Amino acid sequence: MRIGMRVRYSGGFREAAQEIGDLEKAGLDVVSIAEAYSFDAVSQLGYLAAVTERMELTSGILQALTRTPTLTAMTAAGLDFVSDGRFTLGLGASGPQVVEGFHGVRYDAPLARLREIVEVCRMVWRRERVVHEGRHYTIPLPPDQGTGLGKPLKLINTPVRERIPITLASIGPKNVEMTAEIAEGWEPIFFVPEKARETWGASVDAGLARRDPALGPLDVRVGVPCAIGEGLEGLREQSRADLALYIGGMGARGKNFYNELTVRYGYPDAAATVQDLYLSGRKDEAAVAVPDEMVAATSLVGPRSWVAERLAAFRDAGVTTLVTSLVQPDRADRLRTVEQLKQLALDL
């Protein structure tokens, strides 16, 4: 199991970048840069490429529907170039509140669009002339939709790799099925190991049945808050605010994918309560209403022995990469946590 770290989109990038070199020496394998309606992830990944040596750099996630497929491919090829082949393209559809509300782009057919985007990216990286006639993207643009001067082009530069790994963030049944079929990696959110099989197992199996063997085994990447030590219950509780934000506030009623996931996990009453409280502005109460079981199950914050048990549960559920949020305020504690977590993973 590989150990990674997520750099949050809400601030503190400069401080995190200064620390990442030491974390890399401590054994950190992956660093992921998040992107919401924040600073873009691309510029920060380019910066990290220059100050790291061996760790994988990944976008977690780039909003696929707000960029053209070819721009996404060009960006990934550029990041792979400046990092000497260490980049993984994390993509997701985001949601209508961000895509339409912040970018002014229509949010429609995210599943079908993602499939086409992946196809175009791989065509670009192979340096083929890009000709794509899909339901949602047509490249070049047909003459009756533009000037008529568009012609098939191929990427000028030769990419470091013609197959840059792609990770898709997905949680809905059809999305997860497609991810298991076409992507190198899968990034679900709020992963509860004990409920993963019943929640996603059928979708993963259906996708894997159609998977090209050349893609290799599916890399299951799970984000989780992490801190190892005694008396850290307060730090574990901090994740309630993030859970409440997504369950209650990341989407409108009837269109919140994270709320739907909470229902599928078996917490329908809690999902409704958290959403009601959050949307009425009672965010602190919404955090309290998040089920204790869900807070603990999605966390790696606690004594070393407890973290070791939970790490084994994640492994047994198929997780291959842990992308941690290091929640301890002291830099030395965060470094020590990465060292211990790396050793626990090696001992599994």
Side-chain angles (χ1 to χ4, degrees), residues 94-125:
S94 188
Q97 285 191 325
V98 175
V99 173
E100 296 185 357
F102 190 67
H103 294 280
V105 176
R106 185 177 177 183
Y107 187 88
D108 70 323
L111 190 67
R113 287 183 181 276
L114 276 170
R115 183 181 286 274
E116 290 189 41
I117 290 165
V118 170
E119 291 174 359
V120 172
C121 281
R122 289 174 174 157
M123 186 183 302
V124 170
W125 300 332

PDB file of all heavy atoms in Angstrom, residues 94-125:
ATOM      1  N   SER A  94     -17.070  16.871 -10.970  1.00  0.00           N
ATOM      2  CA  SER A  94     -17.520  17.864 -10.007  1.00  0.00           C
ATOM      3  C   SER A  94     -19.052  17.820  -9.938  1.00  0.00           C
ATOM      4  O   SER A  94     -19.641  16.737 -10.041  1.00  0.00           O
ATOM      5  CB  SER A  94     -16.991  19.254 -10.367  1.00  0.00           C
ATOM      6  OG  SER A  94     -17.268  20.179  -9.337  1.00  0.00           O
ATOM      7  N   GLY A  95     -19.703  18.951  -9.763  1.00  0.00           N
ATOM      8  CA  GLY A  95     -21.154  18.968  -9.664  1.00  0.00           C
ATOM      9  C   GLY A  95     -21.719  20.223 -10.291  1.00  0.00           C
ATOM     10  O   GLY A  95     -20.991  21.170 -10.616  1.00  0.00           O
ATOM     11  N   PRO A  96     -23.023  20.291 -10.484  1.00  0.00           N
ATOM     12  CA  PRO A  96     -23.626  21.420 -11.191  1.00  0.00           C
ATOM     13  C   PRO A  96     -23.458  22.758 -10.479  1.00  0.00           C
ATOM     14  O   PRO A  96     -23.383  23.805 -11.141  1.00  0.00           O
ATOM     15  CB  PRO A  96     -25.099  21.028 -11.310  1.00  0.00           C
ATOM     16  CG  PRO A  96     -25.313  19.954 -10.302  1.00  0.00           C
ATOM     17  CD  PRO A  96     -24.009  19.244 -10.165  1.00  0.00           C
ATOM     18  N   GLN A  97     -23.384  22.750  -9.154  1.00  0.00           N
ATOM     19  CA  GLN A  97     -23.248  24.031  -8.464  1.00  0.00           C
ATOM     20  C   GLN A  97     -21.944  24.725  -8.824  1.00  0.00           C
ATOM     21  O   GLN A  97     -21.887  25.944  -8.964  1.00  0.00           O
ATOM     22  CB  GLN A  97     -23.339  23.823  -6.943  1.00  0.00           C
ATOM     23  CG  GLN A  97     -24.759  23.563  -6.458  1.00  0.00           C
ATOM     24  CD  GLN A  97     -24.877  23.614  -4.952  1.00  0.00           C
ATOM     25  OE1 GLN A  97     -23.960  23.218  -4.236  1.00  0.00           O
ATOM     26  NE2 GLN A  97     -26.004  24.097  -4.465  1.00  0.00           N
ATOM     27  N   VAL A  98     -20.865  23.935  -8.967  1.00  0.00           N
ATOM     28  CA  VAL A  98     -19.566  24.507  -9.325  1.00  0.00           C
ATOM     29  C   VAL A  98     -19.452  24.701 -10.836  1.00  0.00           C
ATOM     30  O   VAL A  98     -19.058  25.764 -11.314  1.00  0.00           O
ATOM     31  CB  VAL A  98     -18.420  23.621  -8.802  1.00  0.00           C
ATOM     32  CG1 VAL A  98     -17.078  24.145  -9.289  1.00  0.00           C
ATOM     33  CG2 VAL A  98     -18.441  23.572  -7.281  1.00  0.00           C
ATOM     34  N   VAL A  99     -19.786  23.674 -11.601  1.00  0.00           N
ATOM     35  CA  VAL A  99     -19.602  23.724 -13.052  1.00  0.00           C
ATOM     36  C   VAL A  99     -20.460  24.818 -13.676  1.00  0.00           C
ATOM     37  O   VAL A  99     -19.990  25.610 -14.506  1.00  0.00           O
ATOM     38  CB  VAL A  99     -19.907  22.351 -13.677  1.00  0.00           C
ATOM     39  CG1 VAL A  99     -19.894  22.420 -15.200  1.00  0.00           C
ATOM     40  CG2 VAL A  99     -18.884  21.315 -13.200  1.00  0.00           C
ATOM     41  N   GLU A 100     -21.717  24.889 -13.278  1.00  0.00           N
ATOM     42  CA  GLU A 100     -22.599  25.908 -13.837  1.00  0.00           C
ATOM     43  C   GLU A 100     -22.504  27.229 -13.069  1.00  0.00           C
ATOM     44  O   GLU A 100     -22.563  28.309 -13.663  1.00  0.00           O
ATOM     45  CB  GLU A 100     -24.040  25.398 -13.833  1.00  0.00           C
ATOM     46  CG  GLU A 100     -24.248  24.189 -14.741  1.00  0.00           C
ATOM     47  CD  GLU A 100     -25.708  23.757 -14.825  1.00  0.00           C
ATOM     48  OE1 GLU A 100     -26.558  24.363 -14.127  1.00  0.00           O
ATOM     49  OE2 GLU A 100     -25.996  22.804 -15.577  1.00  0.00           O
ATOM     50  N   GLY A 101     -22.348  27.133 -11.734  1.00  0.00           N
ATOM     51  CA  GLY A 101     -22.365  28.333 -10.918  1.00  0.00           C
ATOM     52  C   GLY A 101     -21.085  29.143 -10.975  1.00  0.00           C
ATOM     53  O   GLY A 101     -21.121  30.372 -10.919  1.00  0.00           O
ATOM     54  N   PHE A 102     -19.939  28.477 -11.098  1.00  0.00           N
ATOM     55  CA  PHE A 102     -18.652  29.180 -11.091  1.00  0.00           C
ATOM     56  C   PHE A 102     -18.065  29.318 -12.488  1.00  0.00           C
ATOM     57  O   PHE A 102     -17.458  30.330 -12.821  1.00  0.00           O
ATOM     58  CB  PHE A 102     -17.672  28.450 -10.174  1.00  0.00           C
ATOM     59  CG  PHE A 102     -16.398  29.207  -9.894  1.00  0.00           C
ATOM     60  CD1 PHE A 102     -16.407  30.375  -9.157  1.00  0.00           C
ATOM     61  CD2 PHE A 102     -15.179  28.746 -10.361  1.00  0.00           C
ATOM     62  CE1 PHE A 102     -15.234  31.072  -8.890  1.00  0.00           C
ATOM     63  CE2 PHE A 102     -14.001  29.427 -10.114  1.00  0.00           C
ATOM     64  CZ  PHE A 102     -14.030  30.602  -9.367  1.00  0.00           C
ATOM     65  N   HIS A 103     -18.250  28.289 -13.303  1.00  0.00           N
ATOM     66  CA  HIS A 103     -17.651  28.288 -14.641  1.00  0.00           C
ATOM     67  C   HIS A 103     -18.627  28.700 -15.745  1.00  0.00           C
ATOM     68  O   HIS A 103     -18.196  29.005 -16.855  1.00  0.00           O
ATOM     69  CB  HIS A 103     -17.082  26.903 -14.963  1.00  0.00           C
ATOM     70  CG  HIS A 103     -15.923  26.520 -14.105  1.00  0.00           C
ATOM     71  ND1 HIS A 103     -14.645  26.964 -14.334  1.00  0.00           N
ATOM     72  CD2 HIS A 103     -15.847  25.741 -12.987  1.00  0.00           C
ATOM     73  CE1 HIS A 103     -13.821  26.476 -13.409  1.00  0.00           C
ATOM     74  NE2 HIS A 103     -14.536  25.733 -12.589  1.00  0.00           N
ATOM     75  N   GLY A 104     -19.919  28.646 -15.458  1.00  0.00           N
ATOM     76  CA  GLY A 104     -20.881  29.008 -16.486  1.00  0.00           C
ATOM     77  C   GLY A 104     -20.950  28.020 -17.628  1.00  0.00           C
ATOM     78  O   GLY A 104     -21.276  28.366 -18.756  1.00  0.00           O
ATOM     79  N   VAL A 105     -20.639  26.752 -17.319  1.00  0.00           N
ATOM     80  CA  VAL A 105     -20.666  25.685 -18.319  1.00  0.00           C
ATOM     81  C   VAL A 105     -21.796  24.725 -17.956  1.00  0.00           C
ATOM     82  O   VAL A 105     -21.970  24.371 -16.785  1.00  0.00           O
ATOM     83  CB  VAL A 105     -19.317  24.929 -18.350  1.00  0.00           C
ATOM     84  CG1 VAL A 105     -19.384  23.757 -19.322  1.00  0.00           C
ATOM     85  CG2 VAL A 105     -18.189  25.874 -18.742  1.00  0.00           C
ATOM     86  N   ARG A 106     -22.532  24.295 -18.944  1.00  0.00           N
ATOM     87  CA  ARG A 106     -23.661  23.401 -18.688  1.00  0.00           C
ATOM     88  C   ARG A 106     -23.173  22.060 -18.138  1.00  0.00           C
ATOM     89  O   ARG A 106     -22.216  21.478 -18.656  1.00  0.00           O
ATOM     90  CB  ARG A 106     -24.447  23.178 -19.979  1.00  0.00           C
ATOM     91  CG  ARG A 106     -25.704  22.353 -19.783  1.00  0.00           C
ATOM     92  CD  ARG A 106     -26.480  22.227 -21.077  1.00  0.00           C
ATOM     93  NE  ARG A 106     -27.654  21.369 -20.917  1.00  0.00           N
ATOM     94  CZ  ARG A 106     -28.484  21.042 -21.892  1.00  0.00           C
ATOM     95  NH1 ARG A 106     -28.264  21.527 -23.114  1.00  0.00           N
ATOM     96  NH2 ARG A 106     -29.522  20.257 -21.669  1.00  0.00           N
ATOM     97  N   TYR A 107     -23.850  21.588 -17.106  1.00  0.00           N
ATOM     98  CA  TYR A 107     -23.507  20.294 -16.503  1.00  0.00           C
ATOM     99  C   TYR A 107     -24.484  19.257 -17.059  1.00  0.00           C
ATOM    100  O   TYR A 107     -25.637  19.164 -16.632  1.00  0.00           O
ATOM    101  CB  TYR A 107     -23.634  20.374 -14.974  1.00  0.00           C
ATOM    102  CG  TYR A 107     -23.151  19.148 -14.244  1.00  0.00           C
ATOM    103  CD1 TYR A 107     -21.815  19.031 -13.875  1.00  0.00           C
ATOM    104  CD2 TYR A 107     -24.011  18.109 -13.907  1.00  0.00           C
ATOM    105  CE1 TYR A 107     -21.348  17.916 -13.196  1.00  0.00           C
ATOM    106  CE2 TYR A 107     -23.562  16.992 -13.231  1.00  0.00           C
ATOM    107  CZ  TYR A 107     -22.228  16.901 -12.877  1.00  0.00           C
ATOM    108  OH  TYR A 107     -21.777  15.791 -12.196  1.00  0.00           O
ATOM    109  N   ASP A 108     -24.028  18.512 -18.032  1.00  0.00           N
ATOM    110  CA  ASP A 108     -24.895  17.480 -18.591  1.00  0.00           C
ATOM    111  C   ASP A 108     -24.063  16.282 -19.019  1.00  0.00           C
ATOM    112  O   ASP A 108     -22.906  16.404 -19.399  1.00  0.00           O
ATOM    113  CB  ASP A 108     -25.702  18.025 -19.782  1.00  0.00           C
ATOM    114  CG  ASP A 108     -24.837  18.303 -21.003  1.00  0.00           C
ATOM    115  OD1 ASP A 108     -23.690  18.753 -20.814  1.00  0.00           O
ATOM    116  OD2 ASP A 108     -25.303  18.057 -22.133  1.00  0.00           O
ATOM    117  N   ALA A 109     -24.653  15.117 -18.934  1.00  0.00           N
ATOM    118  CA  ALA A 109     -24.048  13.850 -19.371  1.00  0.00           C
ATOM    119  C   ALA A 109     -22.611  13.684 -18.866  1.00  0.00           C
ATOM    120  O   ALA A 109     -21.703  13.391 -19.651  1.00  0.00           O
ATOM    121  CB  ALA A 109     -24.086  13.739 -20.888  1.00  0.00           C
ATOM    122  N   PRO A 110     -22.371  13.840 -17.560  1.00  0.00           N
ATOM    123  CA  PRO A 110     -20.991  13.754 -17.068  1.00  0.00           C
ATOM    124  C   PRO A 110     -20.335  12.404 -17.334  1.00  0.00           C
ATOM    125  O   PRO A 110     -19.134  12.346 -17.637  1.00  0.00           O
ATOM    126  CB  PRO A 110     -21.128  14.015 -15.561  1.00  0.00           C
ATOM    127  CG  PRO A 110     -22.557  13.702 -15.238  1.00  0.00           C
ATOM    128  CD  PRO A 110     -23.335  14.086 -16.467  1.00  0.00           C
ATOM    129  N   LEU A 111     -21.091  11.332 -17.257  1.00  0.00           N
ATOM    130  CA  LEU A 111     -20.532   9.997 -17.463  1.00  0.00           C
ATOM    131  C   LEU A 111     -20.040   9.832 -18.896  1.00  0.00           C
ATOM    132  O   LEU A 111     -18.896   9.433 -19.146  1.00  0.00           O
ATOM    133  CB  LEU A 111     -21.592   8.945 -17.137  1.00  0.00           C
ATOM    134  CG  LEU A 111     -21.141   7.490 -17.067  1.00  0.00           C
ATOM    135  CD1 LEU A 111     -20.204   7.273 -15.897  1.00  0.00           C
ATOM    136  CD2 LEU A 111     -22.366   6.567 -16.935  1.00  0.00           C
ATOM    137  N   ALA A 112     -20.894  10.166 -19.850  1.00  0.00           N
ATOM    138  CA  ALA A 112     -20.526  10.013 -21.259  1.00  0.00           C
ATOM    139  C   ALA A 112     -19.403  10.974 -21.644  1.00  0.00           C
ATOM    140  O   ALA A 112     -18.513  10.624 -22.421  1.00  0.00           O
ATOM    141  CB  ALA A 112     -21.749  10.250 -22.143  1.00  0.00           C
ATOM    142  N   ARG A 113     -19.434  12.173 -21.100  1.00  0.00           N
ATOM    143  CA  ARG A 113     -18.377  13.136 -21.396  1.00  0.00           C
ATOM    144  C   ARG A 113     -17.025  12.650 -20.878  1.00  0.00           C
ATOM    145  O   ARG A 113     -16.002  12.777 -21.562  1.00  0.00           O
ATOM    146  CB  ARG A 113     -18.721  14.500 -20.805  1.00  0.00           C
ATOM    147  CG  ARG A 113     -19.823  15.227 -21.550  1.00  0.00           C
ATOM    148  CD  ARG A 113     -20.072  16.606 -20.956  1.00  0.00           C
ATOM    149  NE  ARG A 113     -21.141  17.303 -21.647  1.00  0.00           N
ATOM    150  CZ  ARG A 113     -20.997  18.007 -22.752  1.00  0.00           C
ATOM    151  NH1 ARG A 113     -19.793  18.120 -23.303  1.00  0.00           N
ATOM    152  NH2 ARG A 113     -22.023  18.614 -23.322  1.00  0.00           N
ATOM    153  N   LEU A 114     -17.004  12.119 -19.663  1.00  0.00           N
ATOM    154  CA  LEU A 114     -15.741  11.630 -19.113  1.00  0.00           C
ATOM    155  C   LEU A 114     -15.149  10.521 -19.971  1.00  0.00           C
ATOM    156  O   LEU A 114     -13.934  10.464 -20.190  1.00  0.00           O
ATOM    157  CB  LEU A 114     -15.941  11.143 -17.677  1.00  0.00           C
ATOM    158  CG  LEU A 114     -15.880  12.207 -16.577  1.00  0.00           C
ATOM    159  CD1 LEU A 114     -16.325  11.623 -15.243  1.00  0.00           C
ATOM    160  CD2 LEU A 114     -14.474  12.785 -16.460  1.00  0.00           C
ATOM    161  N   ARG A 115     -15.999   9.642 -20.449  1.00  0.00           N
ATOM    162  CA  ARG A 115     -15.505   8.558 -21.310  1.00  0.00           C
ATOM    163  C   ARG A 115     -14.851   9.131 -22.569  1.00  0.00           C
ATOM    164  O   ARG A 115     -13.764   8.697 -22.969  1.00  0.00           O
ATOM    165  CB  ARG A 115     -16.641   7.607 -21.678  1.00  0.00           C
ATOM    166  CG  ARG A 115     -16.191   6.411 -22.514  1.00  0.00           C
ATOM    167  CD  ARG A 115     -17.355   5.524 -22.875  1.00  0.00           C
ATOM    168  NE  ARG A 115     -17.826   4.748 -21.744  1.00  0.00           N
ATOM    169  CZ  ARG A 115     -17.335   3.570 -21.376  1.00  0.00           C
ATOM    170  NH1 ARG A 115     -16.321   3.023 -22.059  1.00  0.00           N
ATOM    171  NH2 ARG A 115     -17.833   2.922 -20.338  1.00  0.00           N
ATOM    172  N   GLU A 116     -15.490  10.117 -23.178  1.00  0.00           N
ATOM    173  CA  GLU A 116     -14.924  10.719 -24.387  1.00  0.00           C
ATOM    174  C   GLU A 116     -13.634  11.472 -24.080  1.00  0.00           C
ATOM    175  O   GLU A 116     -12.681  11.447 -24.868  1.00  0.00           O
ATOM    176  CB  GLU A 116     -15.948  11.660 -25.036  1.00  0.00           C
ATOM    177  CG  GLU A 116     -17.126  10.938 -25.670  1.00  0.00           C
ATOM    178  CD  GLU A 116     -18.001  11.874 -26.485  1.00  0.00           C
ATOM    179  OE1 GLU A 116     -17.444  12.735 -27.205  1.00  0.00           O
ATOM    180  OE2 GLU A 116     -19.248  11.753 -26.406  1.00  0.00           O
ATOM    181  N   ILE A 117     -13.601  12.156 -22.945  1.00  0.00           N
ATOM    182  CA  ILE A 117     -12.401  12.900 -22.562  1.00  0.00           C
ATOM    183  C   ILE A 117     -11.210  11.962 -22.411  1.00  0.00           C
ATOM    184  O   ILE A 117     -10.097  12.252 -22.874  1.00  0.00           O
ATOM    185  CB  ILE A 117     -12.655  13.685 -21.262  1.00  0.00           C
ATOM    186  CG1 ILE A 117     -13.626  14.853 -21.533  1.00  0.00           C
ATOM    187  CG2 ILE A 117     -11.351  14.215 -20.671  1.00  0.00           C
ATOM    188  CD1 ILE A 117     -14.211  15.468 -20.288  1.00  0.00           C
ATOM    189  N   VAL A 118     -11.420  10.826 -21.773  1.00  0.00           N
ATOM    190  CA  VAL A 118     -10.345   9.843 -21.613  1.00  0.00           C
ATOM    191  C   VAL A 118      -9.875   9.353 -22.981  1.00  0.00           C
ATOM    192  O   VAL A 118      -8.670   9.232 -23.238  1.00  0.00           O
ATOM    193  CB  VAL A 118     -10.813   8.669 -20.732  1.00  0.00           C
ATOM    194  CG1 VAL A 118      -9.796   7.525 -20.758  1.00  0.00           C
ATOM    195  CG2 VAL A 118     -11.039   9.139 -19.290  1.00  0.00           C
ATOM    196  N   GLU A 119     -10.806   9.088 -23.892  1.00  0.00           N
ATOM    197  CA  GLU A 119     -10.432   8.628 -25.230  1.00  0.00           C
ATOM    198  C   GLU A 119      -9.574   9.668 -25.945  1.00  0.00           C
ATOM    199  O   GLU A 119      -8.555   9.329 -26.570  1.00  0.00           O
ATOM    200  CB  GLU A 119     -11.700   8.342 -26.037  1.00  0.00           C
ATOM    201  CG  GLU A 119     -12.499   7.136 -25.559  1.00  0.00           C
ATOM    202  CD  GLU A 119     -13.812   6.979 -26.302  1.00  0.00           C
ATOM    203  OE1 GLU A 119     -14.103   7.820 -27.185  1.00  0.00           O
ATOM    204  OE2 GLU A 119     -14.566   6.034 -25.992  1.00  0.00           O
ATOM    205  N   VAL A 120      -9.976  10.930 -25.882  1.00  0.00           N
ATOM    206  CA  VAL A 120      -9.242  11.980 -26.576  1.00  0.00           C
ATOM    207  C   VAL A 120      -7.861  12.172 -25.946  1.00  0.00           C
ATOM    208  O   VAL A 120      -6.855  12.332 -26.663  1.00  0.00           O
ATOM    209  CB  VAL A 120     -10.038  13.304 -26.558  1.00  0.00           C
ATOM    210  CG1 VAL A 120      -9.183  14.453 -27.098  1.00  0.00           C
ATOM    211  CG2 VAL A 120     -11.313  13.165 -27.385  1.00  0.00           C
ATOM    212  N   CYS A 121      -7.776  12.147 -24.630  1.00  0.00           N
ATOM    213  CA  CYS A 121      -6.480  12.304 -23.962  1.00  0.00           C
ATOM    214  C   CYS A 121      -5.489  11.252 -24.449  1.00  0.00           C
ATOM    215  O   CYS A 121      -4.343  11.577 -24.805  1.00  0.00           O
ATOM    216  CB  CYS A 121      -6.650  12.195 -22.443  1.00  0.00           C
ATOM    217  SG  CYS A 121      -7.266  13.692 -21.643  1.00  0.00           S
ATOM    218  N   ARG A 122      -5.914  10.029 -24.498  1.00  0.00           N
ATOM    219  CA  ARG A 122      -4.994   8.960 -24.900  1.00  0.00           C
ATOM    220  C   ARG A 122      -4.619   9.070 -26.373  1.00  0.00           C
ATOM    221  O   ARG A 122      -3.494   8.728 -26.758  1.00  0.00           O
ATOM    222  CB  ARG A 122      -5.626   7.605 -24.559  1.00  0.00           C
ATOM    223  CG  ARG A 122      -5.646   7.359 -23.042  1.00  0.00           C
ATOM    224  CD  ARG A 122      -6.385   6.111 -22.643  1.00  0.00           C
ATOM    225  NE  ARG A 122      -6.232   5.877 -21.207  1.00  0.00           N
ATOM    226  CZ  ARG A 122      -7.074   5.148 -20.474  1.00  0.00           C
ATOM    227  NH1 ARG A 122      -8.118   4.573 -21.049  1.00  0.00           N
ATOM    228  NH2 ARG A 122      -6.861   4.991 -19.178  1.00  0.00           N
ATOM    229  N   MET A 123      -5.522   9.589 -27.191  1.00  0.00           N
ATOM    230  CA  MET A 123      -5.207   9.838 -28.592  1.00  0.00           C
ATOM    231  C   MET A 123      -4.130  10.918 -28.714  1.00  0.00           C
ATOM    232  O   MET A 123      -3.170  10.781 -29.485  1.00  0.00           O
ATOM    233  CB  MET A 123      -6.482  10.268 -29.336  1.00  0.00           C
ATOM    234  CG  MET A 123      -6.326  10.426 -30.831  1.00  0.00           C
ATOM    235  SD  MET A 123      -7.872  11.037 -31.599  1.00  0.00           S
ATOM    236  CE  MET A 123      -9.023   9.764 -31.086  1.00  0.00           C
ATOM    237  N   VAL A 124      -4.274  11.991 -27.927  1.00  0.00           N
ATOM    238  CA  VAL A 124      -3.295  13.079 -27.952  1.00  0.00           C
ATOM    239  C   VAL A 124      -1.928  12.577 -27.514  1.00  0.00           C
ATOM    240  O   VAL A 124      -0.905  12.888 -28.144  1.00  0.00           O
ATOM    241  CB  VAL A 124      -3.761  14.245 -27.056  1.00  0.00           C
ATOM    242  CG1 VAL A 124      -2.646  15.279 -26.888  1.00  0.00           C
ATOM    243  CG2 VAL A 124      -5.007  14.914 -27.636  1.00  0.00           C
ATOM    244  N   TRP A 125      -1.877  11.808 -26.431  1.00  0.00           N
ATOM    245  CA  TRP A 125      -0.590  11.337 -25.900  1.00  0.00           C
ATOM    246  C   TRP A 125       0.109  10.369 -26.855  1.00  0.00           C
ATOM    247  O   TRP A 125       1.333  10.266 -26.838  1.00  0.00           O
ATOM    248  CB  TRP A 125      -0.796  10.668 -24.545  1.00  0.00           C
ATOM    249  CG  TRP A 125      -1.382  11.592 -23.516  1.00  0.00           C
ATOM    250  CD1 TRP A 125      -1.253  12.949 -23.468  1.00  0.00           C
ATOM    251  CD2 TRP A 125      -2.216  11.232 -22.418  1.00  0.00           C
ATOM    252  NE1 TRP A 125      -1.934  13.458 -22.396  1.00  0.00           N
ATOM    253  CE2 TRP A 125      -2.540  12.432 -21.732  1.00  0.00           C
ATOM    254  CE3 TRP A 125      -2.713  10.022 -21.924  1.00  0.00           C
ATOM    255  CZ2 TRP A 125      -3.339  12.436 -20.581  1.00  0.00           C
ATOM    256  CZ3 TRP A 125      -3.498  10.032 -20.784  1.00  0.00           C
ATOM    257  CH2 TRP A 125      -3.806  11.224 -20.128  1.00  0.00           C
TER     258      TRP A 125
END
